[in-house]
Amino acid sequence: EIPDYQKVAAEISSAIPAGKGEDGKNVRLADLLPVTEFLRQKQAEFPDLFKFAMQAEGKPRHVSVHAAGTIIT
């Protein structure tokens, strides 16, 4: 059976706290996995998803230019 990936993504996202950790740094999956049983279970179930997620962590989400920063002639 093919899992509903929207549901899987929502479940995993809800287990990751927003914002920064106690040390003022961004919360990372590598820091949460040892202390969060739910995330370890999901990592065992979807290893490639976690592999790619950890590679993407800290990378820019997107690059854009605000319209006010361009000259339209």
Coordinates of all heavy atoms in Angstrom, one line a residue:
E1 N 0.8 -1.2 0.0 CA 0.0 0.0 0.0 C 0.9 1.2 0.0 O 1.9 1.3 0.8 CB -0.9 0.0 1.2 CG -1.8 1.2 1.3 CD -2.7 1.1 2.5 OE1 -3.3 0.0 2.7 OE2 -2.9 2.1 3.1
I2 N 0.5 2.2 -0.8 CA 1.3 3.4 -0.9 C 0.8 4.4 0.2 O -0.4 4.7 0.3 CB 1.1 4.1 -2.3 CG1 1.7 3.2 -3.4 CG2 1.8 5.4 -2.4 CD1 1.4 3.6 -4.8
P3 N 1.7 4.9 1.0 CA 1.3 5.8 2.0 C 0.8 7.2 1.5 O 1.3 7.6 0.4 CB 2.5 6.0 2.9 CG 3.6 5.6 2.1 CD 3.1 4.6 1.0
D4 N 0.0 7.9 2.2 CA -0.4 9.2 1.9 C 0.7 10.2 2.4 O 0.8 10.5 3.6 CB -1.8 9.5 2.6 CG -2.2 10.9 2.3 OD1 -1.6 11.7 1.6 OD2 -3.3 11.3 2.9
Y5 N 1.5 10.6 1.4 CA 2.7 11.4 1.8 C 2.4 12.7 2.4 O 3.2 13.3 3.2 CB 3.6 11.5 0.6 CG 4.3 10.2 0.3 CD1 3.9 9.4 -0.8 CD2 5.3 9.7 1.2 CE1 4.6 8.2 -1.0 CE2 5.9 8.5 0.9 CZ 5.6 7.7 -0.2 OH 6.1 6.5 -0.4
Q6 N 1.2 13.3 2.1 CA 0.8 14.6 2.7 C 0.6 14.4 4.2 O 1.0 15.2 5.0 CB -0.5 15.1 2.1 CG -0.3 15.5 0.6 CD 0.4 16.9 0.5 OE1 1.0 17.4 1.5 NE2 0.4 17.4 -0.7
K7 N 0.0 13.2 4.5 CA -0.3 12.9 5.9 C 1.0 12.6 6.7 O 1.3 13.1 7.8 CB -1.2 11.7 6.0 CG -1.6 11.3 7.4 CD -2.6 10.2 7.5 CE -2.8 9.7 8.9 NZ -3.7 8.6 9.0
V8 N 1.9 11.8 6.0 CA 3.2 11.5 6.6 C 4.0 12.8 6.9 O 4.6 13.0 7.9 CB 4.0 10.6 5.7 CG1 5.4 10.4 6.2 CG2 3.3 9.2 5.6
A9 N 4.0 13.7 5.9 CA 4.8 15.0 6.0 C 4.2 15.8 7.2 O 5.0 16.4 8.0 CB 4.7 15.7 4.7
A10 N 2.9 15.8 7.3 CA 2.3 16.6 8.4 C 2.6 16.0 9.7 O 2.8 16.7 10.7 CB 0.7 16.7 8.2
E11 N 2.6 14.7 9.9 CA 2.9 14.0 11.1 C 4.3 14.3 11.5 O 4.6 14.6 12.7 CB 2.7 12.5 11.0 CG 1.3 12.1 10.9 CD 1.1 10.6 10.6 OE1 2.2 9.9 10.3 OE2 0.0 10.1 10.7
I12 N 5.2 14.2 10.6 CA 6.7 14.4 10.9 C 6.9 15.9 11.3 O 7.6 16.2 12.2 CB 7.6 14.0 9.7 CG1 7.5 12.4 9.6 CG2 9.0 14.4 10.0 CD1 8.1 11.9 8.4
S13 N 6.3 16.8 10.5 CA 6.5 18.2 10.7 C 6.0 18.6 12.1 O 6.6 19.5 12.8 CB 5.8 19.0 9.7 OG 6.4 18.8 8.4
S14 N 4.8 18.0 12.5 CA 4.3 18.4 13.8 C 5.2 17.9 15.0 O 5.0 18.4 16.1 CB 2.9 17.8 14.0 OG 2.9 16.4 14.0
A15 N 6.0 17.0 14.7 CA 6.9 16.5 15.8 C 8.2 17.3 15.9 O 9.0 17.1 16.8 CB 7.3 15.0 15.5
I16 N 8.4 18.2 15.0 CA 9.6 19.1 15.0 C 9.2 20.5 15.5 O 8.4 21.1 14.9 CB 10.2 19.1 13.6 CG1 10.6 17.7 13.1 CG2 11.4 20.1 13.6 CD1 11.0 17.7 11.6
P17 N 9.8 20.9 16.6 CA 9.5 22.2 17.2 C 9.9 23.3 16.3 O 11.0 23.3 15.6 CB 10.2 22.2 18.5 CG 11.3 21.2 18.4 CD 10.8 20.2 17.4
A18 N 9.1 24.4 16.2 CA 9.4 25.5 15.4 C 10.4 26.4 16.2 O 10.4 26.4 17.4 CB 8.2 26.3 15.0
G19 N 11.1 27.2 15.5 CA 12.0 28.2 16.1 C 13.4 27.6 16.5 O 13.8 26.6 15.9
K20 N 14.0 28.2 17.4 CA 15.3 27.9 17.8 C 15.3 27.1 19.1 O 14.4 27.1 19.9 CB 16.2 29.1 18.0 CG 16.2 30.0 16.7 CD 17.3 30.9 16.7 CE 17.3 31.8 15.5 NZ 17.7 31.1 14.3
G21 N 16.4 26.3 19.3 CA 16.5 25.5 20.5 C 17.0 26.3 21.7 O 17.1 27.5 21.6
E22 N 17.2 25.7 22.8 CA 17.6 26.4 24.0 C 19.0 27.1 23.9 O 19.2 28.1 24.5 CB 17.7 25.4 25.2 CG 16.4 24.8 25.6 CD 16.5 23.8 26.7 OE1 17.6 23.6 27.2 OE2 15.5 23.1 27.0
D23 N 19.8 26.6 23.0 CA 21.1 27.2 22.7 C 21.1 28.3 21.7 O 22.1 28.9 21.4 CB 22.1 26.1 22.3 CG 21.7 25.4 21.0 OD1 20.6 25.8 20.4 OD2 22.5 24.6 20.5
G24 N 19.9 28.7 21.2 CA 19.7 29.8 20.3 C 19.9 29.4 18.9 O 19.8 30.2 18.0
K25 N 20.3 28.1 18.6 CA 20.5 27.6 17.2 C 19.2 27.0 16.7 O 18.4 26.6 17.5 CB 21.7 26.7 17.2 CG 23.0 27.3 17.6 CD 24.1 26.3 17.5 CE 25.4 26.9 17.9 NZ 26.5 25.9 17.9
N26 N 19.1 26.9 15.4 CA 18.0 26.2 14.8 C 18.0 24.7 15.2 O 19.0 24.1 15.4 CB 18.1 26.2 13.3 CG 17.8 27.6 12.7 OD1 17.1 28.4 13.4 ND2 18.4 27.9 11.6
V27 N 16.8 24.2 15.4 CA 16.6 22.8 15.8 C 16.9 21.9 14.5 O 16.3 22.2 13.5 CB 15.2 22.5 16.3 CG1 15.0 21.1 16.7 CG2 14.9 23.4 17.5
R28 N 17.7 20.9 14.7 CA 18.0 20.0 13.6 C 17.5 18.6 13.8 O 17.4 18.2 14.9 CB 19.6 20.0 13.4 CG 20.1 21.4 13.1 CD 21.6 21.3 13.0 NE 22.0 20.1 12.2 CZ 22.9 20.1 11.3 NH1 23.6 21.1 11.0 NH2 23.2 19.0 10.6
L29 N 17.2 17.9 12.7 CA 16.8 16.5 12.8 C 17.8 15.7 13.5 O 17.5 14.8 14.4 CB 16.5 16.0 11.4 CG 15.2 16.3 10.8 CD1 15.2 15.8 9.3 CD2 14.0 15.8 11.6
A30 N 19.1 15.9 13.2 CA 20.1 15.1 13.9 C 20.1 15.2 15.4 O 20.5 14.3 16.1 CB 21.5 15.5 13.3
D31 N 19.7 16.4 15.9 CA 19.6 16.6 17.3 C 18.4 16.0 17.9 O 18.4 15.6 19.1 CB 19.7 18.1 17.6 CG 20.9 18.8 17.2 OD1 22.0 18.1 17.1 OD2 20.9 20.0 16.8
L32 N 17.3 15.9 17.1 CA 16.0 15.4 17.6 C 15.9 13.9 17.6 O 15.3 13.3 18.4 CB 14.9 16.0 16.8 CG 14.6 17.5 17.0 CD1 13.6 18.0 16.0 CD2 14.2 17.8 18.4
L33 N 16.6 13.2 16.6 CA 16.4 11.8 16.5 C 16.8 11.0 17.7 O 16.1 10.1 18.1 CB 17.2 11.3 15.3 CG 16.6 11.6 13.9 CD1 17.5 11.4 12.8 CD2 15.3 10.8 13.8
P34 N 17.9 11.3 18.4 CA 18.3 10.5 19.6 C 17.2 10.7 20.8 O 17.2 9.8 21.6 CB 19.6 11.1 20.0 CG 20.1 11.8 18.9 CD 19.0 12.3 18.1
V35 N 16.5 11.7 20.8 CA 15.6 12.0 21.9 C 14.1 11.9 21.6 O 13.3 12.1 22.5 CB 15.9 13.4 22.6 CG1 17.3 13.4 23.1 CG2 15.6 14.5 21.5
T36 N 13.8 11.5 20.3 CA 12.4 11.5 19.9 C 12.1 10.1 19.3 O 12.4 9.9 18.1 CB 12.1 12.6 18.9 OG1 12.5 13.9 19.4 CG2 10.6 12.7 18.6
E37 N 11.4 9.3 20.0 CA 11.1 7.9 19.5 C 10.3 8.0 18.3 O 10.5 7.2 17.3 CB 10.4 7.1 20.6 CG 9.9 5.8 20.2 CD 11.0 4.8 19.9 OE1 12.2 5.0 20.4 OE2 10.8 3.9 19.1
F38 N 9.3 8.8 18.2 CA 8.4 8.9 17.0 C 9.2 9.2 15.8 O 9.0 8.6 14.7 CB 7.4 10.0 17.2 CG 6.5 10.3 16.0 CD1 5.5 9.4 15.6 CD2 6.8 11.4 15.2 CE1 4.7 9.7 14.5 CE2 6.0 11.6 14.0 CZ 5.0 10.7 13.7
L39 N 10.2 10.2 15.8 CA 11.0 10.5 14.7 C 11.9 9.3 14.3 O 12.1 9.0 13.1 CB 11.8 11.7 14.9 CG 11.0 13.0 14.9 CD1 11.9 14.2 15.3 CD2 10.3 13.3 13.6
R40 N 12.4 8.6 15.3 CA 13.2 7.4 15.0 C 12.4 6.3 14.3 O 12.9 5.7 13.3 CB 13.8 6.8 16.3 CG 15.0 7.7 16.8 CD 15.8 6.9 17.8 NE 15.0 6.4 18.9 CZ 14.8 7.1 20.0 NH1 15.2 8.3 20.2 NH2 14.1 6.5 21.0
Q41 N 11.2 6.2 14.7 CA 10.3 5.2 14.0 C 10.0 5.6 12.6 O 10.1 4.8 11.6 CB 9.0 5.1 14.7 CG 9.0 4.4 16.1 CD 7.7 4.5 16.9 OE1 6.8 5.2 16.5 NE2 7.7 3.8 18.0
K42 N 9.8 6.9 12.4 CA 9.5 7.4 11.0 C 10.8 7.3 10.2 O 10.7 7.0 9.0 CB 9.0 8.8 11.0 CG 7.6 8.9 11.6 CD 6.6 8.1 10.7 CE 5.2 8.2 11.2 NZ 4.3 7.3 10.5
Q43 N 11.9 7.5 10.8 CA 13.2 7.4 10.0 C 13.4 6.0 9.6 O 13.9 5.7 8.4 CB 14.4 7.9 10.9 CG 15.7 7.8 10.1 CD 16.9 8.1 10.9 OE1 16.9 7.8 12.1 NE2 17.9 8.7 10.3
A44 N 13.1 5.0 10.4 CA 13.2 3.6 10.0 C 12.2 3.2 8.9 O 12.5 2.4 8.0 CB 12.9 2.7 11.3
E45 N 11.1 3.9 8.9 CA 10.0 3.6 7.9 C 10.3 4.3 6.6 O 10.1 3.7 5.5 CB 8.7 4.1 8.5 CG 7.5 3.6 7.7 CD 6.2 4.0 8.3 OE1 6.2 4.4 9.5 OE2 5.2 3.9 7.6
F46 N 10.9 5.5 6.7 CA 11.2 6.3 5.5 C 12.6 6.8 5.5 O 12.9 8.0 5.6 CB 10.2 7.5 5.4 CG 8.8 7.2 5.4 CD1 8.0 7.3 6.6 CD2 8.2 6.7 4.3 CE1 6.7 7.0 6.6 CE2 6.8 6.4 4.3 CZ 6.1 6.5 5.4
P47 N 13.6 5.9 5.4 CA 15.0 6.4 5.5 C 15.5 7.4 4.5 O 16.2 8.3 4.8 CB 15.8 5.0 5.4 CG 14.9 4.1 4.7 CD 13.5 4.5 5.1
D48 N 15.0 7.2 3.2 CA 15.4 8.1 2.2 C 14.9 9.6 2.4 O 15.6 10.6 2.2 CB 15.0 7.7 0.8 CG 15.8 6.5 0.3 OD1 16.9 6.3 0.8 OD2 15.3 5.8 -0.6
L49 N 13.7 9.6 2.9 CA 13.1 10.9 3.3 C 13.9 11.7 4.3 O 14.2 12.9 4.1 CB 11.6 10.7 3.8 CG 11.0 12.0 4.3 CD1 10.6 12.9 3.2 CD2 9.7 11.7 5.1
F50 N 14.4 11.0 5.3 CA 15.2 11.6 6.3 C 16.6 12.0 5.8 O 17.1 13.0 6.2 CB 15.2 10.8 7.6 CG 14.0 10.9 8.5 CD1 12.8 10.3 8.2 CD2 14.1 11.7 9.6 CE1 11.7 10.5 9.0 CE2 13.0 11.9 10.4 CZ 11.8 11.3 10.1
K51 N 17.1 11.1 5.0 CA 18.4 11.4 4.4 C 18.4 12.7 3.6 O 19.2 13.6 3.8 CB 18.8 10.2 3.5 CG 20.1 10.4 2.7 CD 20.3 9.3 1.7 CE 21.4 9.6 0.7 NZ 21.5 8.6 -0.4
F52 N 17.4 12.8 2.7 CA 17.3 14.0 1.9 C 16.9 15.3 2.8 O 17.4 16.4 2.5 CB 16.3 13.8 0.8 CG 16.7 12.8 -0.2 CD1 15.8 11.8 -0.6 CD2 17.9 12.8 -0.8 CE1 16.2 10.8 -1.5 CE2 18.3 11.8 -1.7 CZ 17.4 10.8 -2.0
A53 N 16.1 15.1 3.8 CA 15.7 16.2 4.7 C 16.9 16.7 5.4 O 17.1 17.9 5.5 CB 14.6 15.7 5.6
M54 N 17.8 15.8 5.9 CA 19.0 16.3 6.6 C 20.0 17.0 5.7 O 20.7 17.9 6.1 CB 19.6 15.1 7.4 CG 18.8 14.8 8.6 SD 19.6 13.6 9.7 CE 19.1 12.1 9.0
Q55 N 20.0 16.6 4.4 CA 20.9 17.2 3.4 C 20.3 18.6 3.1 O 21.1 19.5 2.8 CB 21.0 16.4 2.1 CG 21.8 15.1 2.3 CD 21.7 14.3 1.1 OE1 21.0 14.5 0.1 NE2 22.6 13.2 1.0
A56 N 19.0 18.8 3.1 CA 18.4 20.1 2.7 C 18.4 21.1 3.9 O 18.2 22.3 3.7 CB 17.0 19.8 2.2
E57 N 18.5 20.6 5.1 CA 18.5 21.5 6.3 C 19.5 22.6 6.2 O 20.7 22.3 5.8 CB 18.8 20.7 7.6 CG 17.5 20.1 8.2 CD 17.8 19.4 9.5 OE1 18.9 18.8 9.7 OE2 17.0 19.5 10.4
G58 N 19.1 23.8 6.5 CA 20.0 24.9 6.5 C 20.2 25.6 5.2 O 20.8 26.6 5.1
K59 N 19.7 25.0 4.1 CA 19.8 25.5 2.8 C 18.7 26.6 2.6 O 17.7 26.5 3.2 CB 19.7 24.4 1.7 CG 20.7 23.3 1.9 CD 21.8 23.5 1.0 CE 22.7 22.3 0.9 NZ 23.3 21.7 2.0
P60 N 19.0 27.6 1.8 CA 17.9 28.6 1.5 C 16.7 27.9 0.9 O 16.8 27.0 0.1 CB 18.6 29.5 0.4 CG 20.1 29.3 0.6 CD 20.2 27.9 1.0
R61 N 15.5 28.4 1.3 CA 14.3 27.9 0.8 C 14.1 28.3 -0.6 O 13.6 27.5 -1.5 CB 13.1 28.4 1.7 CG 11.8 27.8 1.2 CD 10.7 28.3 2.1 NE 10.8 27.7 3.4 CZ 9.9 28.0 4.4 NH1 8.9 28.8 4.2 NH2 10.1 27.4 5.6
H62 N 14.3 29.6 -0.9 CA 14.2 30.1 -2.3 C 15.0 31.4 -2.4 O 15.4 32.0 -1.4 CB 12.7 30.3 -2.6 CG 12.1 31.4 -1.8 ND1 11.6 31.1 -0.5 CD2 11.8 32.7 -2.1 CE1 11.1 32.3 -0.1 NE2 11.2 33.2 -1.0
V63 N 15.2 31.8 -3.6 CA 15.8 33.0 -3.9 C 14.9 33.9 -4.8 O 14.3 33.4 -5.7 CB 17.2 32.8 -4.7 CG1 17.8 34.1 -5.1 CG2 18.1 31.9 -3.9
S64 N 14.7 35.1 -4.4 CA 13.8 36.0 -5.2 C 14.3 37.4 -5.1 O 15.2 37.8 -4.4 CB 12.4 35.9 -4.6 OG 12.4 36.4 -3.3
V65 N 13.7 38.2 -6.0 CA 14.0 39.7 -6.0 C 12.6 40.4 -5.8 O 11.7 40.1 -6.5 CB 14.6 40.1 -7.3 CG1 14.8 41.6 -7.4 CG2 15.9 39.4 -7.6
H66 N 12.6 41.2 -4.8 CA 11.4 42.0 -4.6 C 11.2 43.0 -5.7 O 12.1 43.5 -6.3 CB 11.5 42.8 -3.2 CG 10.3 43.4 -2.8 ND1 9.8 44.5 -3.2 CD2 9.4 42.9 -1.9 CE1 8.6 44.8 -2.6 NE2 8.4 43.8 -1.8
A67 N 9.9 43.2 -6.1 CA 9.6 44.1 -7.2 C 10.2 45.5 -7.0 O 10.5 46.1 -8.0 CB 8.1 44.1 -7.4
A68 N 10.3 46.0 -5.8 CA 10.8 47.3 -5.6 C 12.3 47.3 -5.8 O 12.9 48.4 -5.9 CB 10.5 47.7 -4.1
G69 N 12.9 46.2 -5.9 CA 14.4 46.1 -6.2 C 14.7 46.1 -7.6 O 15.9 46.0 -8.0
T70 N 13.7 46.2 -8.5 CA 14.0 46.2 -10.0 C 13.5 47.5 -10.6 O 12.6 48.1 -10.1 CB 13.3 45.0 -10.6 OG1 11.9 45.1 -10.4 CG2 13.8 43.7 -10.1
I71 N 14.1 47.8 -11.7 CA 13.7 49.0 -12.4 C 12.9 48.5 -13.6 O 13.4 47.7 -14.4 CB 14.8 49.9 -12.9 CG1 15.6 50.3 -11.6 CG2 14.4 51.0 -13.7 CD1 16.9 51.1 -12.0
I72 N 11.7 49.0 -13.8 CA 10.8 48.6 -14.9 C 10.8 49.8 -15.8 O 10.3 50.9 -15.4 CB 9.4 48.2 -14.4 CG1 9.6 47.0 -13.5 CG2 8.6 47.8 -15.6 CD1 8.3 46.6 -12.8
T73 N 11.2 49.6 -17.1 CA 11.2 50.8 -18.0 C 10.4 50.5 -19.2 O 10.1 49.3 -19.5 CB 12.6 51.1 -18.5 OG1 13.2 50.0 -19.1 CG2 13.5 51.5 -17.3

